[in-house]
């Protein structure tokens, strides 16, 4: 069985840390981004199985990121 790859796109460091700890405790490999641009770059490079996405990011709207990722 392969290890799940999870990308967390969240600008709040404390929230990102809590989510990371919870996901890693479940055995997943975690990647983090604090901005839309970093998140899109990591999504392209790492091909995550799951993305935990904040809807209110400092450099863009999470809904637009979701649409871009689906395209």
């Amino acid at each position: 069985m392969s290890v799940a790859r999870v990308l967390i796109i969240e600008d709040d460091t404390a929230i990102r840390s809590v989510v990371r700890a919870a996901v890693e405790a479940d055995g997943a490999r975690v990647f983090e981004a604090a901005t839309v641009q970093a998140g899109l770059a990591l999504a392209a490079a790492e091909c995550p199985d799951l993305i935990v996405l904040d809807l209110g990011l400092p450099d863009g709207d999470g809904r637009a990121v979701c649409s871009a990722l689906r395209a």
Side-chain angles (χ1 to χ4, degrees):
M1 181 180 219
S2 65
V3 174
R5 301 161 60 82
V6 179
L7 170 59
I8 302 167
I9 306 175
E10 167 62 61
D11 61 316
D12 186 299
T13 306
I15 292 172
R16 201 170 59 241
S17 177
V18 169
V19 174
R20 179 184 192 108
V23 172
E24 284 181 332
D26 204 32
R29 183 169 178 205
V30 178
F31 306 93
E32 295 182 21
T35 65
V36 168
Q37 293 305 317
L40 291 174
L42 272 173
E46 300 298 337
C47 300
D49 300 304
L50 174 71
I51 298 175
V52 179
L53 175 62
D54 182 4
L55 295 180
L57 293 161
D59 62 335
D61 178 54
R63 287 176 285 279
V65 172
C66 190
S67 294
L69 289 168
R70 287 183 172 189

